[in-house]
Amino acid sequence: MSNIVKDLNSTKIEEFAAQLRGQITLPGEANYDEARKVYNGMINKRPGMLVKCVDVADVIHSVNFGRENNLLVAVRGGGHNGGGLGICDDGMVIDLSGIKFIRVDVASKTVRVGGGNVWGEVDHATHPFGLAVPAGIISTTGVGGLTLGGGVGHLSRKYGLTIDNLLEADMVLADGSFVTVNENQNSDLFWAIRGGGGNYGIVTSFKFQAHNVKTVFGGPTLWPIEKTEEIMEWYHDFIHNSPDDLNGFVATMIIPGPPFPEHLHNKQFCAIVWCYVGDLDKASEVFAPILAKNPLFAHVGEMPYPAIQTLFDGLLPPGMQWYWRADFFNELGAELRSQHLKFGSSIPTPLSQMHMYPISGAASRVGETETPWAYRNANYAGVIVGVDPNPSNAEKITKWCKDYWEALHPYSSGGAYSNFMMDDEGQDRVKASYKHNYDRLVEIKKKYDPNNFFRVNQNIKP
Ligand SMILES: Cc1cc2nc3c(=O)[nH]c(=O)nc-3n(C[C@H](O)[C@H](O)[C@H](O)COP(=O)(O)OP(=O)(O)OC[C@H]3O[C@@H](n4cnc5c(N)ncnc54)[C@H](O)[C@@H]3O)c2cc1C
């Protein structure tokens, strides 16, 4: 059993605070409610203490304080986790949002990033050099959580998952020690953090390989929801046979309002969001077969990479209710497509949606044991999200999401991408998601965190 912060005497807390350059926030203080907010408004946890770290020393002191006082500890990067794994009740939150720095090394095309940065900050820093690090599709997501879970996004087919571009990390471990991990140093840990989440320690700095990506050609194409089965059948063949330069994820969604034209508002669609990073002179040729499918609406064109990364930020501000369910899929067969049509036609609120991200191209050429990310051979990482600003709709979006998932799950490959899972899915789901890599993850956990100090995550039990 963990102790809870409120049982610690105040001298102990004062002594700890005196060691820090960062800030402690306790219940009852003016900024407590602001500090404990995470992206998902459905999460309402009340930690006993939040520690906003500003450097590695703060992280070491916090880990030691948490361990010596037997506290439950959550680690917060960008705070985006659907299940709210960046926060906990009663225990201590080690908040990394004060550890932000980015240094682009133009000669080696590598980027050093702080453990508390978010992806929009990285894109902003790399773009003037014509470089980008593969990440997700929303710029407010944390570098920490997204990377440690895998990282699927617009550049996955061309340059692999985010973990495939991780070269090195600095970490504070459960015993308070500080290590650097890469292919040559602590290589077992380096393997484990490329998908194994926050189970192994706190990453204070990441080093990524960046790539020449400046202007992309992309955007959404929409078809009436009635065409879902036809479009998904065509899409499956098309995307996996396209050059790696082209990425596109397929979705069922409602167009909620501006910036889309009014005639589309509040209608359901089968959508594909494209991102092409090849020779721009060939873009119209690449997009010709897509436009030949006669989308009702196509808003594709050249844009700076940070623009595609922020395309949906405005629609999805923090604080809304989110409920997630996910699975990997190999196929998009007829039965599955008919379920997408059925549930895509009954999306309960304008922002609720389903996405299937293609896992092909470079992301699929990494071996299934090279990183913990076990589903390199699945064709899709699928996710269903019930989203709405109004808490009174929480039940409605949760039910739709679960029902949709239940209908798809029999056709899935078994596990899910850990970053798309909630916090209540159980150990069997975690095991299924790491498949043949789970046992090795357990061995490394036993070596570096035998007491499961880092357990507010998709937990690998030692
Ligand atoms: C709107 C939205 C869009 C998304 N889009 C994508 C997408 O396109 N592609 C994709 O792959 N995922 C996507 N995700 C999922 C996202 O990858 C996960 O939610 C991820 O956990 C978020 O990371 P975070 O640092 O913001 O979260 P947090 O809630 O801060 O942390 C999540 C987990 O990571 C751990 N953690 C975070 N930082 C560190 C660190 N530096 N060291 C050690 N542990 C750490 C935490 O302890 C916790 O267990 C999206 C999520 C949202 C809400």
Side-chain angles (χ1 to χ4, degrees), residues 36-47 50 72-89 92-93 320 322-324 418-425 455-458:
R36 72 187 181 87
K37 273 186 193 158
V38 288
Y39 183 82
N40 184 355
M42 217 183 252
I43 310 289
N44 180 25
K45 296 206 169 150
R46 304 188 68 85
L50 297 111
L72 177 66
V73 169
V75 178
R76 181 196 163 118
H80 251 235
N81 188 266
L85 293 171
I87 194 153
C88 60
D89 278 323
M92 175 168 81
V93 175
M320 293 198 285
W322 284 73
Y323 194 86
W324 300 63
S418 64
N419 270 345
F420 289 162
M421 286 165 63
M422 287 304 269
D423 56 335
D424 58 354
E425 299 200 30
R455 62 184 177 281
V456 184
N457 42 45
Q458 297 299 345

Side-chain angles (χ1 to χ4, degrees), residues 56-263:
V56 175
D58 277 357
V59 176
I60 293 174
H61 290 315
S62 302
V63 166
N64 288 339
F65 183 78
R67 191 189 59 252
E68 284 157 12
N69 292 290
N70 192 27
L71 297 174
L72 177 66
V73 169
V75 178
R76 181 196 163 118
H80 251 235
N81 188 266
L85 293 171
I87 194 153
C88 60
D89 278 323
D90 300 324
M92 175 168 81
V93 175
I94 301 181
D95 174 6
L96 304 175
S97 64
I99 305 186
K100 289 184 192 265
F101 50 81
I102 300 167
R103 183 175 187 276
V104 183
D105 184 316
V106 179
S108 62
K109 296 183 186 167
T110 59
V111 191
R112 269 276 170 203
V113 180
N117 277 106
V118 300
W119 281 107
E121 294 159 350
V122 180
D123 295 335
H124 183 262
T126 55
H127 187 64
F129 303 104
L131 295 172
V133 177
I137 61 150
I138 299 273
S139 83
T140 51
T141 313
V143 172
L146 180 136
T147 301
L148 296 170
V152 177
H154 290 304
L155 302 182
S156 301
R157 295 194 75 246
K158 177 70 177 175
Y159 295 116
L161 306 180
T162 306
I163 46 174
D164 304 332
N165 296 280
L166 181 64
L167 300 173
E168 186 170 283
D170 288 340
M171 297 178 70
V172 177
L173 306 183
D175 63 2
S177 60
F178 177 78
V179 295
T180 295
V181 305
N182 56 38
E183 283 293 357
N184 304 313
Q185 271 173 283
N186 303 299
S187 55
D188 53 353
L189 260 184
F190 183 57
W191 179 84
I193 64 163
R194 284 177 290 159
N199 273 283
Y200 298 91
I202 300 181
V203 176
T204 53
S205 153
F206 295 91
K207 182 180 177 186
F208 294 106
Q209 185 66 60
H211 300 276
N212 297 330
V213 177
K214 182 131 180 131
T215 304
V216 303
F217 192 100
T221 47
L222 306 178
W223 291 266
I225 196 76
E226 296 74 27
K227 293 210 158 193
T228 298
E229 291 165 292
E230 177 198 330
I231 293 302
M232 285 189 174
E233 184 178 17
W234 161 79
Y235 163 82
H236 178 75
D237 288 337
F238 179 73
I239 193 68
H240 300 300
N241 291 308
S242 289
D244 294 357
D245 287 337
L246 184 68
N247 199 89
F249 70 87
V250 67
T252 55
M253 64 189 304
I254 290 177
I255 291 301
F260 291 90
E262 205 171 331
H263 70 276

Side-chain angles (χ1 to χ4, degrees), residues 424-462:
D424 58 354
E425 299 200 30
Q427 201 59 28
D428 286 347
R429 285 286 283 162
V430 178
K431 280 187 188 166
S433 298
Y434 292 112
K435 238 183 3 178
H436 48 267
N437 290 323
Y438 187 77
D439 291 347
R440 187 170 168 199
L441 286 167
V442 172
E443 286 315 305
I444 300 172
K445 180 81 173 171
K446 280 183 184 157
K447 181 171 165 192
Y448 292 100
D449 186 15
N451 297 319
N452 209 7
F453 178 75
F454 296 112
R455 62 184 177 281
V456 184
N457 42 45
Q458 297 299 345
N459 197 222
I460 314 279
K461 294 202 189 311

